[in-house]
Amino acid sequence: MTAAVALTESDSLNDRLPTLEDIVGAAARMQGIVQHTPLQKSEFLSRKYQAEVLLKREDLQPVRSFKLRGAYNRISQLSRAERQRGVVCASAGNHAQGVAFACSALNIQGTLFMPANTPALKVNKVRQFGGSHVKVVLTGHTFDEACQAARAREAESGATFIHPFDDPDVIAGQGTLALEILDDSAGTPIDYLFTPVGGGGLASGISTVFHHHSPTTRLIGVEPSEAAALQHSRKAGHNLTLDRIDPFIDGASTQRIGERCFDICNERLHRVLTVEDQQTCQALIDLYQEEAIVAELAASLSVAALEQCREEIIGKRVVCIVSGGNNDFSRAHQIMEKAKGTNG
C-alpha cells in the first residue's frame, strides 16, 4: 500500500457543517427531481450471511447514482449572478452526471472536468444529461488531477466550483437517502449500515442523519484497499493525502478525504474497512448474477465488506448502500479476471 503524507488544505473552508435541518430542507428542495429509491431485501445475501440484508438502490436514480442529490441541492441554491457565471466541477464520472442533469434542469452552463481514463459510459451519459448546457474536459488520470484543472478554470472564469463531496450543501443532499432508509424501515431498527467511501460526502450525510435518528446503528465505511485515504487518516489522527492510489475502483478512489467529511466520518463512523479489488469485483458479479442488479465497482464495496463481518452480522438487520449503476461493460473482462485473482 502506498505511503501517506500530510498536506495542508489550501481552500478557505468555512466552519459550517451540514445539520439535520439542512438535510430535511434538501429533501423538500429536490422533490420531483430525485427518486425515492427502494430499500430492497436481497434474498441471496440474506441466505449467505444468515441476516436480513437490505440494499438501498441508488442505481435506480435518473443518473444511476446518488450523486444527483448533492449536485442538485447545491446548484439549485445559486444566486442569479452565480447562475449567469456558470459552474465548473471535477468528477470521476457520477458527480459530473448529477451536475449535468442539474445544469440542464436549471438552465445553467457548466464545464465538467473528468479523468482521461473515465469509463466511456460515464462520459457519454454526462453529455447526454447535460446536452448543450455542458462542456466535458478529459484530463489527468485521477480525480485529483482533474480537480486541479477544474480549480484553475474556476479562477480564470469566475464560475462556481461544485465540489463533489466537501461542501455542506452537497453533503446535505447526499444525506437525504438516509431519511428515505429510515422512512422505509417503518420503525424496525437497523443494526448495521455499510456505505462506500470515496471523498466522504455520502458517508458524512448518512452518518449525520443516523447520529440523530438511529444512534445505535453501527455505521461502517468501506474503501478500496488501494485508495484508503480515510482509514490512513483515522489511524494518523488527522487528514492525510495519499501520495499514490490505484484508480481501478474509479468511483471511490481519491487521494484525500474532504476536510468536512473527515471531521464528520472520523467522529461518527464506527469503523472503516478496506476491501481488495478481487472481492469487490466478485461482489459486482454476484449482484448481477444473483439479483439482476447492474452495480458499478464503487457501489459493490458495501456488499464486498460483508464477508469481513460475517460472524457479527448473523441474525442482524443490515443495510448496504448500492451507490450507483454506471458500470461500463467494456471493462467486463478485466473485472472477471480480477475476481479470479489474476491481473487481467
Side-chain angles (χ1 to χ4, degrees):
M1 182 64 205
T2 183
V5 295
L7 181 72
T8 301
E9 175 62 49
S10 60
D11 292 340
S12 56
L13 297 173
N14 62 45
D15 294 330
R16 184 167 76 87
L17 296 178
T19 65
L20 180 62
E21 290 72 23
D22 292 329
I23 296 172
V24 172
R29 192 173 294 114
M30 59 182 64
Q31 284 188 0
I33 299 294
V34 171
Q35 295 292 323
H36 182 131
T37 55
L39 188 63
Q40 173 185 313
K41 182 177 180 180
S42 168
E43 299 293 346
F44 166 69
L45 294 171
S46 296
R47 289 194 304 271
K48 181 177 181 179
Y49 293 107
Q50 302 176 59
E52 183 182 10
V53 180
L54 306 170
L55 305 176
K56 178 59 172 169
R57 296 288 308 279
E58 284 296 287
D59 57 299
L60 298 178
Q61 285 296 345
V63 301
R64 295 196 287 192
S65 89
F66 73 96
K67 287 289 191 175
L68 174 58
R69 297 175 183 268
Y72 188 86
N73 188 51
R74 176 71 176 92
I75 295 172
S76 66
Q77 297 181 75
L78 293 177
S79 68
R80 177 179 296 181
E82 289 172 325
R83 292 184 182 214
Q84 290 176 344
R85 290 193 297 270
V87 301
V88 63
C89 82
S91 170
N94 286 346
H95 176 59
Q97 291 184 58
V99 170
F101 189 101
C103 284
S104 180
L106 298 166
N107 194 27
I108 296 171
Q109 294 300 124
T111 305
L112 287 52
F113 289 78
M114 304 165 70
N117 58 347
T118 301
L121 170 70
K122 293 185 177 182
V123 176
N124 292 337
K125 284 295 182 180
V126 168
R127 291 175 172 143
Q128 175 185 321
F129 289 126
S132 62
H133 290 89
V134 303
K135 176 184 177 182
V136 176
V137 179
L138 300 177
T139 183
H141 291 89
T142 66
F143 160 76
D144 301 271
E145 292 174 356
C147 191
Q148 290 177 4
R151 287 297 204 182
R153 179 64 60 85
E154 174 196 19
E156 295 168 1
S157 67
T160 299
F161 182 74
I162 308 299
H163 203 288
F165 46 83
D166 202 19
D167 179 288
D169 292 324
V170 171
I171 294 170
Q174 319 304 29
T176 59
L177 72 81
L179 296 176
E180 296 175 7
I181 291 171
L182 293 173
D183 284 346
D184 293 342
S185 296
T188 305
I190 296 169
D191 299 303
Y192 287 80
L193 185 146
F194 292 77
T195 179
V197 175
L202 176 61
S204 296
I206 289 172
S207 60
T208 297
V209 171
F210 273 76
H211 174 74
H212 290 282
H213 285 318
S214 186
T216 61
T217 300
R218 300 288 293 176
L219 303 177
I220 300 178
V222 189
E223 295 182 293
S225 61
E226 296 302 318
L230 179 56
Q231 188 181 79
H232 278 284
S233 296
R234 279 166 65 99
K235 289 179 179 178
H238 60 275
N239 205 5
L240 296 175
T241 298
L242 300 179
D243 62 4
R244 181 177 58 84
I245 61 173
D246 181 346
F248 177 72
I249 312 292
D250 53 291
S253 296
T254 57
Q255 290 176 264
R256 184 180 180 88
I257 295 293
E259 305 309 306
R260 295 178 182 87
C261 301
F262 174 73
D263 289 342
I264 296 170
C265 291
N266 193 40
E267 176 185 350
R268 293 178 176 170
L269 290 183
H270 296 92
R271 200 183 321 169
V272 177
L273 302 177
T274 63
V275 179
E276 298 293 332
D277 289 351
Q278 180 180 358
Q279 284 70 47
T280 305
C281 290
Q282 187 60 56
L284 180 149
I285 293 168
D286 288 345
L287 284 170
Y288 179 71
Q289 292 184 330
E290 302 292 342
E291 300 286 3
I293 294 173
V294 178
E296 62 189 80
L297 286 167
S300 306
L301 286 166
S302 57
V303 173
L306 294 177
E307 189 65 29
Q308 298 183 42
C309 302
R310 172 183 284 273
E311 297 301 322
E312 64 185 279
I313 65 174
I314 292 174
K316 303 297 185 181
R317 197 162 194 246
V318 179
V319 171
C320 292
I321 308 297
V322 180
S323 56
N326 288 301
N327 185 27
D328 189 337
F329 273 86
S330 67
R331 305 177 72 194
H333 177 73
Q334 184 183 19
I335 290 170
M336 293 186 71
E337 290 301 310
K338 277 188 175 284
K340 296 175 186 177
T342 59
N343 292 327

